[in-house]
Amino acid sequence: MWESILTEWASLILRWLHVVAAVGWIGSSFYFIHLDLSLQPRRDLPEGVYGEAWQVHGGGFYRIMKYLVAPASMPDELTWFKWEAYTTWLSGFALMVVVYYLDAELFLVDKSILNLTPLQAGMFSLGSLIIAWLLYEGACRSGLARHELPFAIGGYVFLVGLTYAFTHVLSGRGAFNQIGAIIGTIMVANVFATIIPNQKKIVAALLAGQKPDPELGLAGKQRSVHNNYLTLPVIVLMISNHYPLLFATRYNWVIVAIVLALGPIIRHFFNERHKGHKSPWWVWGAAAAGMIAIMLLSAAGPRNATTGALSTAPTFANVQDIVLSRCSMCHGAEPVWESIVTAPKGILLDTPEHIRRNARLIGRNAAWSTAMPPGNVTEMTTQERTLIAAWLAADGL
């Protein structure tokens, strides 16, 4: 009991910290991208200033200037933006350990996809996280990133390919979390391994009375732009575990592919506006089409759904037998599943009344998707899911 309580509290605290840190990081990142793109050159600017922007907020006016690469001498006070990113990743990785690694049997493994042990799944997750970042970092340092469009297309294909592979190794929920964790790791590593070290080198050059290398600033800006376009997709992936029709349906990897495309084009709209260019309104048409495609794909049902007609019409008694044998050990007044003390989300499925009351949730999680049972630990069959779906279609709702 105490182990379960401590795990639950650790999950809550880490999730809270993760969200707060991410809000700070994303907010500052979006602000500085907006600021960079809105800077205007002026004749009366100090030497070395790339541009300036006037802004109003909080009852006052701000005049902001950016030096590229650096001013002639170091200012007395300098604010660094790094701990928001570091805290986001550290809290996120700790949360992944608590939720996905310690409970891998429920959330990372789906034995109907691949029969992995919790240790094997955890090692696969950690190993792919490291390898994916190394491949990205190697591509950037090789100079490939200088060719922006080919690099973006190659990166997109790389992430979609990883997603397809993950959905055939891990559970759908685990696969979505894994690709989100990889993108998040790349983003934080950009700050930790390139942006901040380059800024420190620029500061050191100023203190030594030397002229900083402009390539350091350009490399940092390049990684910052990468982070800007990756932010929206990673947010969707991190909250996707609340939506089983996304991660636990037949075309889940195609849904990720659409999300990975929609995020950057939506950021493109705002970036163009920040530059003062004509707004690319076509973006919202593309975004609407993408969301409609996701909705249709999410309605395709589980990967191994049975399409043939049932031999007999399903009855409530059939559904009750399935739910009691596959779901009630967790969703009961006194759960018997190890590490679960109370019914998840307070949902009880141990009486006819409870089953009827939660029929729509049962359909969403166990018939129209394979989100439940988590990891299919109770081995609900495809035929059982089909029967529940047929009952719901007939008179269950």
Side-chain angles (χ1 to χ4, degrees):
M1 175 179 177
W2 280 107
E3 180 183 351
S4 178
I5 292 173
L6 291 173
T7 300
E8 189 75 2
W9 272 101
S11 174
L12 170 62
I13 292 169
L14 289 170
R15 196 179 302 274
W16 190 11
L17 176 60
H18 185 57
V19 170
V20 170
V23 168
W25 182 23
I26 294 169
S28 63
S29 174
F30 279 9
Y31 173 73
F32 279 110
I33 288 292
H34 159 76
L35 184 60
D36 275 350
L37 296 176
S38 63
L39 289 171
Q40 298 294 325
R42 310 287 185 193
R43 291 183 179 180
D44 60 341
L45 295 178
E47 184 180 355
V49 172
Y50 170 76
E52 71 169 358
W54 283 87
Q55 300 180 358
V56 60
H57 182 75
F61 291 83
Y62 296 82
R63 184 190 185 190
I64 304 166
M65 296 183 289
K66 179 178 181 178
Y67 287 82
L68 196 67
V69 172
S73 60
M74 270 293 295
D76 294 332
E77 295 181 1
L78 186 63
T79 301
W80 293 77
F81 291 85
K82 56 182 180 179
W83 286 109
E84 303 94 332
Y86 298 166
T87 305
T88 299
W89 190 87
L90 291 170
S91 58
F93 184 74
L95 185 63
M96 188 162 73
V97 170
V98 170
V99 175
Y100 287 91
Y101 290 178
L102 296 184
D103 271 332
E105 187 178 15
L106 293 178
F107 302 122
L108 196 58
V109 176
D110 185 339
K111 293 186 177 181
S112 65
I113 295 175
L114 193 62
N115 191 5
L116 297 175
T117 66
L119 178 60
Q120 289 172 334
M123 293 302 295
F124 174 82
S125 171
L126 185 60
S128 61
L129 196 71
I130 296 171
I131 292 171
W133 169 69
L134 288 175
L135 290 173
Y136 165 81
E137 188 69 17
C140 287
R141 292 182 182 272
S142 70
L144 292 175
R146 294 181 182 274
H147 308 284
E148 292 183 357
L149 184 59
F151 186 80
I153 295 173
Y156 174 78
V157 172
F158 173 64
L159 291 175
V160 172
L162 284 179
T163 303
Y164 180 82
F166 292 155
T167 57
H168 288 75
V169 176
L170 305 172
S171 69
R173 176 173 172 173
F176 273 49
N177 181 77
Q178 185 66 18
I179 196 67
I182 285 174
I183 297 174
T185 297
I186 287 172
M187 294 171 64
V188 175
N190 281 340
V191 177
F192 180 76
T194 299
I195 297 173
I196 294 299
N198 285 9
Q199 289 176 345
K200 288 183 176 179
K201 291 175 183 177
I202 291 171
V203 169
L206 287 175
L207 292 175
Q210 301 170 355
K211 185 177 180 179
D213 182 359
E215 287 295 323
L216 296 174
L218 292 174
K221 178 61 183 295
Q222 181 187 77
R223 301 299 183 95
S224 181
V225 170
H226 291 180
N227 285 2
N228 178 45
Y229 283 104
L230 289 171
T231 299
L232 295 184
V234 81
I235 293 174
V236 175
L237 292 168
M238 289 295 100
I239 65 174
S240 65
N241 65 87
H242 298 287
Y243 302 96
L245 294 181
L246 293 182
F247 68 79
T249 47
R250 186 179 310 176
Y251 300 111
N252 51 6
W253 70 273
V254 182
I255 290 174
V256 173
I258 296 173
V259 168
L260 290 174
L262 290 185
I265 68 170
I266 292 172
R267 280 307 303 164
H268 172 71
F269 174 84
F270 290 102
N271 289 343
E272 289 298 295
R273 286 177 63 88
H274 297 333
K275 290 178 183 178
H277 295 173
K278 184 179 179 180
S279 298
W281 294 107
W282 61 266
V283 162
W284 300 111
M291 294 305 296
I292 292 172
I294 289 174
M295 180 183 67
L296 295 175
L297 289 169
S298 70
R303 182 181 299 175
N304 298 317
T306 300
T307 57
L310 296 171
S311 57
T312 59
T315 65
F316 177 74
N318 300 142
V319 173
Q320 182 178 357
D321 288 342
I322 295 170
V323 173
L324 290 177
S325 62
R326 306 299 189 189
C327 310
S328 64
M329 62 281 300
C330 295
H331 292 281
E334 296 182 358
V336 296
W337 188 267
E338 185 181 0
S339 81
I340 294 180
V341 178
T342 59
K345 298 184 179 180
I347 297 172
L348 297 175
L349 301 174
D350 52 359
T351 68
E353 293 75 16
H354 289 152
I355 293 172
R356 289 187 182 279
R357 183 184 306 160
N358 294 292
R360 192 179 298 274
L361 286 176
I362 294 171
R364 190 181 303 156
N365 287 276
W368 308 319
S369 76
T370 56
M372 292 292 166
N376 202 23
V377 289
T378 58
E379 300 182 355
M380 181 180 286
T381 66
T382 301
Q383 290 72 22
E384 288 171 335
R385 297 183 191 278
T386 303
L387 190 148
I388 294 173
W391 172 71
L392 289 168
D395 59 5
L397 298 180

